Amino acid sequence: KLYYQMVGPDGDFIVGNDIGHFDFRKQLKTLKMPVLIIAGRYDRVAVPWMQVQYKKFCPQAQFVLFEKSGHNPQVEEPEKTFPLIVEFLSK
């Protein structure tokens, strides 16, 4: 029930309801904590042009694009993803 409250009755195709009205992009630049954006070149959910927007709205973030991954770099390139996450969390 919570999922449908957030994304609407057809969340696989149209994001609506509560989550469709949230827009915190302008506030992202004010985040004080470290931010890591992990992206996949072949992601068909958060496509590359969207991923670049994440960095645009959160310029202080560390942005890493995995060239051989889709939506799940942790599965598709784990040998690169996990050391990156460990290094990021150790800061």
Side-chain angles (χ1 to χ4, degrees):
K1 288 182 179 182
L2 178 60
Y3 175 78
Y4 294 111
Q5 174 63 37
M6 289 174 52
V7 300
D10 199 6
D12 292 330
F13 299 99
I14 299 171
V15 176
N17 279 24
D18 294 345
I19 204 167
H21 302 289
F22 293 143
D23 188 354
F24 294 106
R25 291 175 291 184
K26 291 180 181 176
Q27 290 91 346
L28 291 175
K29 66 180 176 232
T30 66
L31 293 175
K32 302 293 184 210
M33 77 286 279
V35 177
L36 175 62
I37 300 169
I38 296 175
R41 168 72 65 196
Y42 302 101
D43 194 332
R44 296 188 313 169
V45 177
V47 293
W49 71 265
M50 287 180 177
Q51 299 165 354
V52 172
Q53 294 297 310
Y54 302 154
K55 177 67 173 168
K56 176 182 168 187
F57 287 104
C58 194
Q60 73 278 24
Q62 178 183 347
F63 180 88
V64 180
L65 181 66
F66 288 86
E67 294 291 341
K68 297 179 183 177
S69 293
H71 192 63
N72 296 297
Q74 75 280 5
V75 174
E76 298 156 318
E77 294 183 74
E79 70 286 350
K80 293 181 181 177
T81 307
F82 289 108
L84 172 72
I85 293 169
V86 169
E87 179 186 345
F88 177 79
L89 292 174
S90 69
K91 294 179 182 179

